[in-house]
Amino acid sequence: MKQINYIIVGQGLAGTILAQTLLKQNKSILVIDEPALSNASRIAAGLYNPVVFKRLVKSWMADELIPCMDEFYAGAEKLLNQKFYFKKRIVKPFAEEQERTLWEKKVNEEVGRYLSAIIFDHFQNESIHNPLGVSEILEGGNLNTALFLNCFRNYFSQNDCLLEETFDYNRVSFSENKVVYKDIEADKIIFCEGYKTIDNPYFSWLPFKLTKGEILTVKIPDFKIDDEFVLNKGVFILPLGNNIYKVGATYEWNDLTEKTTEKGKLELEDKLKKVIKLPFEIIDQQAGIRPTVLDRRPLIGIHSENNKLAVFNGMGTKGVMLVPHFANQFADFLINNIPLNKEVDIDRFNKSGVKLERRLS
Ligand SMILES: Cc1cc2nc3c(=O)[nH]c(=O)nc-3n(C[C@H](O)[C@H](O)[C@H](O)COP(=O)(O)OP(=O)(O)OC[C@H]3O[C@@H](n4cnc5c(N)ncnc54)[C@H](O)[C@@H]3O)c2cc1C
């Protein structure tokens, strides 16, 4: 029987970054993943933005998350000898006069460290509707998630710690101190299954409030914006090079399938037309389900009835920013018993008085 510290189920952003964080702490791991089960991490534009646009306030914990992100992704680029993490200037054309007034006010508040104080009358590009001027977010950027995940998949495979299969819950058994899956004995199984956790017999009780997202890849032949920019006005427009752009994303709470829809396409087309004056051609459309949570905080911790089962999930709309910090925190918890932030610990639902079905089946 093979003996390891942790089995990690899922190789999306959560499972990948947690696995690498534990490997760096000299823990032995096995990642089990069937990529066809959930698309979210691979199709995400991978944007990170320290500011919530609607209210122009700092994104939750942005000051702590950004340095941690920088450190993790820079280390990963070095390890894998590949560039996938980029700083970008997130350009915000103002849609209304009030938006510009609010920006001018917020520049002098705490969030101001992430807002450029300069407002331009025009963006460099004549093809954009921006009669009210533009400014930009500082410290934003994006992760090429598909490349990042592929590189780590190869890395885990080369290091003999990847198993490509759908995890079979019927093959789990427990001894006093260990959990056994098939012929592998581990200290814990950590489930990082994204929205698929709704089908997990141990953790399906967690209060997800899932959100479907659709995203387009478009060709805009005469739209020349430098790769260092991302535009954001109702939708984001992320340059991929060669006149190709990612445009997204939609938010849908009722249809929770990973199928693309005409409705999603029309919504994004319509929003894109409000930002740019040029014709464009849709070359791809993708859909995924974000693991969003009722109280909008990650879901991390140990099952209250079986300490060999753990979950690392609920990264919602912000996996790129949240995961590196909380992977560090969860590793500290697992290895050194340092308590988790109460806002992310799943224990908050054990004590909330919310009636949740959490019996082991
Ligand atoms: C359209 C869209 C755009 C987005 N844009 C952004 C963005 O710009 N920036 C950002 O930060 N976030 C964005 N997100 C959110 C981001 O994708 C999520 O926060 C993140 O991907 C969640 O990662 P995860 O690893 O928890 O889940 P997932 O990505 O769902 O990964 C779970 C993995 O586990 C596998 N799996 C599940 N169950 C099993 C099982 N039983 N056995 C084996 N394998 C299993 C799945 O196949 C998958 O590989 C976007 C999401 C969508 C849908």
Side-chain angles (χ1 to χ4, degrees):
M1 176 122 20
K2 188 173 174 180
Q3 295 189 325
I4 59 170
N5 294 119
Y6 303 107
I7 294 173
I8 293 176
V9 183
Q11 199 239 323
L13 288 172
T16 302
I17 296 170
L18 182 63
Q20 173 58 9
T21 303
L22 290 167
L23 280 174
K24 283 197 286 186
Q25 303 247 21
N26 295 321
K27 296 294 160 190
S28 50
I29 56 143
L30 175 73
V31 178
I32 300 178
D33 182 75
E34 169 42 66
L37 293 174
S38 167
N39 246 344
S41 292
R42 266 176 304 274
I43 68 160
L47 294 168
Y48 58 92
N49 177 355
V51 177
V52 180
F53 269 131
K54 245 188 208 158
R55 291 170 288 135
L56 280 193
V57 292
K58 243 193 305 186
S59 175
W60 182 62
M61 289 186 62
D63 297 348
E64 291 99 316
L65 300 180
I66 286 175
C68 206
M69 240 191 349
D70 287 345
E71 190 186 333
F72 179 85
Y73 295 120
E77 285 185 335
K78 215 168 163 188
L79 173 78
L80 303 168
N81 196 21
Q82 184 67 255
K83 179 89 192 132
F84 35 66
Y85 181 63
F86 305 93
K87 292 279 169 192
K88 300 261 179 184
R89 298 166 67 181
I90 304 181
V91 174
K92 172 82 187 145
F94 297 116
E96 298 168 10
E97 196 62 60
Q98 293 99 298
E99 255 182 25
R100 182 174 170 146
T101 312
L102 182 64
W103 190 285
E104 286 164 341
K105 176 173 168 265
K106 292 281 186 170
V107 160
N108 301 311
E109 297 181 8
E110 214 199 330
V111 67
R113 66 180 281 195
Y114 298 119
L115 303 177
S116 165
I118 304 167
I119 294 183
F120 294 97
D121 284 338
H122 300 284
F123 182 52
Q124 52 158 218
N125 195 310
E126 296 285 307
S127 326
I128 294 165
H129 295 287
N130 67 321
L132 297 170
V134 295
S135 195
E136 68 183 52
I137 301 284
L138 311 172
E139 305 267 350
N142 91 301
L143 176 76
N144 181 336
T145 55
L147 181 62
F148 171 82
L149 295 173
N150 285 343
C151 290
F152 264 113
R153 197 169 189 84
N154 290 338
Y155 179 75
F156 293 146
S157 177
Q158 281 158 13
N159 286 284
D160 208 17
C161 48
L162 178 78
L163 188 59
E164 186 164 318
E165 66 176 39
T166 298
F167 186 82
D168 183 353
Y169 306 104
N170 295 317
R171 300 292 301 275
V172 178
S173 60
F174 300 99
S175 62
E176 203 182 324
N177 297 314
K178 302 279 178 187
V179 55
V180 177
Y181 177 71
K182 295 186 175 174
D183 59 347
I184 305 148
E185 190 180 65
D187 298 336
K188 286 190 189 353
I189 301 180
I190 307 172
F191 292 99
C192 307
E193 300 162 293
Y195 88 101
K196 279 288 172 186
T197 291
I198 59 172
D199 299 326
N200 179 313
Y202 310 115
F203 287 107
S204 58
W205 56 274
L206 288 169
F208 284 99
K209 189 173 189 301
L210 302 176
T211 320
K212 176 172 181 168
E214 295 191 57
I215 195 162
L216 298 179
T217 307
V218 300
K219 184 166 192 172
I220 320 176
D222 298 316
F223 189 46
K224 293 183 176 54
I225 62 169
D226 295 345
D227 285 359
E228 64 177 310
F229 293 108
V230 180
L231 272 168
N232 196 312
K233 187 186 176 198
V235 280
F236 64 76
I237 307 176
L238 171 72
L240 302 180
N242 299 324
N243 296 325
I244 309 291
Y245 300 83
K246 268 204 175 185
V247 177
T250 61
Y251 290 81
E252 161 65 48
W253 292 269
N254 296 316
D255 162 20
L256 295 175
T257 66
E258 284 198 314
K259 290 197 181 102
T260 57
T261 63
E262 189 63 16
K263 181 174 165 234
K265 187 177 98 177
L266 291 174
E267 179 185 326
L268 293 171
E269 270 184 319
D270 193 45
K271 286 187 172 165
L272 182 57
K273 283 179 192 160
K274 290 192 174 123
V275 189
I276 60 163
K277 300 172 186 168
L278 296 168
F280 55 86
E281 177 197 346
I282 297 173
I283 53 180
D284 197 13
Q285 180 179 2
Q286 292 164 301
I289 311 292
R290 305 172 180 94
T292 35
V293 181
L294 200 60
D295 67 358
R296 298 180 183 184
R297 294 290 176 260
L299 294 167
I300 305 174
I302 305 289
H303 198 289
S304 64
E305 292 172 11
N306 186 328
N307 66 7
K308 286 148 213 109
L309 299 171
V311 66
F312 185 70
N313 204 321
M315 302 300 161
T317 59
K318 297 202 164 145
V320 172
M321 252 176 112
L322 292 169
V323 180
H325 173 84
F326 286 106
N328 279 345
Q329 198 174 107
F330 197 34
D332 274 343
F333 170 82
L334 293 167
I335 299 164
N336 303 316
N337 226 0
I338 297 174
L340 287 168
N341 177 338
K342 287 194 174 9
E343 280 191 86
V344 304
D345 191 335
I346 55 168
D347 211 29
R348 70 194 185 274
F349 296 111
N350 295 328
K351 292 178 179 149
S352 68
V354 178
K355 254 209 165 312
L356 297 164
E357 181 50 63
R358 35 179 213 82
R359 299 272 115 207
L360 295 180
S361 53

